[in-house]
Amino acid sequence: MASTKFFILALFVALSFTIMDVSVAARQLLQLPPLPAISNSPLATLPPLPTLSQPTLPAVQQQPSLPKITGLPPLPTTLPTLPTMTTNGIPNLALPPLASIIAAISSLPYLSPPPSTTSP
């Protein structure tokens, strides 16, 4: 949670510096002398494009059709059974119940709230 707050604070500071740089740049642009006016003279006319004759394309050859594939076996409807492993040398371990794990985690001192300095 603290790292998220630190990241948000760092992002806020970075954005603040960016906004300051933009405002300084805008102020410098406003202090420049005005640009000379651009005349509205007519644009130069371009020469017409030459007409090109359309090239003749060669005749398209007919692609040979592929033969139809028939007689394929049907797809299997059930999955094959997977082989089982023998566990002769591996002991069977049981996990503790979830409630005891939660109780053990909640009793850790660094997850409990700090003691209050005043009594209610």
Side-chain angles (χ1 to χ4, degrees), residues 57-113:
L57 297 174
V60 178
Q61 295 179 353
Q62 180 99 12
Q63 292 287 337
S65 62
L66 296 174
K68 300 261 188 229
I69 300 175
T70 57
L72 289 177
L75 292 174
T77 56
T78 60
L79 294 175
T81 57
L82 296 175
T84 58
M85 284 182 44
T86 57
T87 58
N88 294 341
I90 301 174
N92 191 5
L93 298 176
L95 294 175
L98 187 60
S100 65
I101 295 174
I102 293 174
I105 291 175
S106 63
S107 66
L108 294 175
Y110 61 86
L111 291 179
S112 61

